[in-house]
Amino acid sequence: MPIKILVAEDEMRIRKLIKDYLLNEGYEIIEAEDGKEALQKFYLNNEIDLLILDVMMPKMDGWGVCKEIREEYDTPIIFLTALGESHDEIQGLDLGADDYITKPFRYEVFIARVKAALRRANKINEGIYHIGNLEINTNSRKVKRDSEEVFLSPKEYELLIYLIENKNIALERDKILDAIWGYDFYGDPRTIDTHIKTLRSKLGEMGDNIKTVRGVGYRFEV
């Protein structure tokens, strides 16, 4: 099951930015534009793995949402706010928040804090990717599609991991060859195309995420 994150932020531009960041990491996102909607959606989706709450929201602020949720649930909560004073951070942590991120923020820092909160709550396991209906365990090198194991050749597996680790990046064929087959490979460069074809087939609908970039190579879109 993909990680499910509830994002409550009244500014649409910032909410969309956060959503794009998290979607890029393969998370499932539920949006709310005020505190009351955040509570409603939290109670309707009892499998929320993390909440990201803006402090200053209409109808009910982030403090109120956090306080009510903490009466029954220990779901990780990250506060997101433009307020930078230390007493605001202390108030949030006293209410039971797990972290506090001040706007504006950088992508790398934001995602690192999200992953840290999920890791502390044992919501993610290192070495396991969840992308769409795929689960990839890099420790056992097993790939599952809709909980059914998909049997990949060693090169197909390495190719899939390479594409995922460079998701949304157009990768040149030569770069893929060097990474998967090695610099001393002197075979037919079209072997990449053959492996991509079989990989797409084995991945089912997720195979459509492997896009051909004309004149360049391939890109795994998330």
Side-chain angles (χ1 to χ4, degrees):
M1 293 289 291
I3 297 292
K4 192 179 294 186
I5 299 177
L6 173 60
V7 177
E9 164 65 62
D10 61 312
E11 292 187 47
M12 185 176 67
R13 180 181 59 83
I14 297 176
R15 192 170 68 249
K16 184 181 184 304
L17 177 67
I18 294 171
K19 180 181 179 181
D20 289 344
Y21 281 1
L22 296 173
L23 287 175
N24 192 50
E25 296 297 318
Y27 301 128
E28 182 178 330
I29 311 305
I30 297 170
E31 298 179 71
E33 59 185 30
D34 60 63
K36 283 194 173 181
E37 185 183 8
L39 275 178
Q40 290 170 352
K41 291 192 172 181
F42 177 80
Y43 290 130
L44 286 172
N45 295 271
N46 58 2
E47 294 182 351
I48 298 289
D49 295 295
L50 171 70
L51 293 98
I52 297 177
L53 303 176
D54 184 34
V55 170
M56 306 303 293
M57 291 186 291
K59 299 185 181 179
M60 179 183 285
D61 61 21
W63 307 136
V65 175
C66 180
K67 185 176 180 181
E68 182 165 333
I69 288 174
R70 277 292 173 264
E71 290 177 0
E72 295 184 60
Y73 301 91
D74 60 358
T75 307
I77 294 175
I78 295 177
F79 274 125
L80 188 67
T81 179
L83 303 175
E85 298 183 16
S86 60
H87 69 269
D88 294 311
E89 181 174 353
I90 292 169
Q91 181 178 349
L93 297 175
D94 284 345
L95 285 170
D98 297 82
D99 206 346
Y100 190 103
I101 301 176
T102 302
K103 295 180 270 188
F105 45 80
R106 297 203 326 271
Y107 174 89
E108 295 84 358
V109 173
F110 177 80
I111 293 300
R113 303 285 276 274
V114 166
K115 288 184 176 179
L118 290 168
R119 195 177 298 114
R120 286 194 298 269
N122 295 316
K123 298 291 184 178
I124 56 174
N125 296 314
E126 296 296 337
I128 297 181
Y129 292 104
H130 289 98
I131 301 176
N133 64 348
L134 294 179
E135 179 184 292
I136 302 150
N137 188 320
T138 58
N139 296 316
S140 64
R141 293 174 67 94
K142 286 186 177 181
V143 178
K144 292 183 179 180
R145 187 184 75 204
D146 292 324
S147 300
E148 295 290 330
E149 187 170 355
V150 178
F151 296 97
L152 303 181
S153 71
K155 290 301 183 192
E156 288 167 354
Y157 173 82
E158 291 170 19
L159 180 57
L160 175 60
I161 293 299
Y162 184 69
L163 290 170
I164 289 174
E165 289 179 343
N166 293 277
K167 58 183 179 294
N168 300 320
I169 298 172
L171 299 169
E172 298 175 357
R173 281 181 170 81
D174 288 345
K175 191 172 182 180
I176 297 172
L177 271 177
D178 290 344
I180 307 303
W181 280 269
Y183 292 100
D184 56 351
F185 177 76
Y186 294 106
D188 191 338
R190 287 177 297 181
T191 189
I192 295 175
D193 303 320
T194 302
H195 279 76
I196 289 287
K197 183 178 179 180
T198 58
L199 187 57
R200 281 172 171 162
S201 176
K202 291 182 179 182
L203 296 182
E205 62 184 47
M206 285 302 294
D208 294 337
N209 290 52
I210 303 176
K211 306 294 184 182
T212 300
V213 182
R214 191 176 297 277
V216 179
Y218 295 96
R219 177 180 64 245
F220 189 90
E221 286 191 357
V222 177

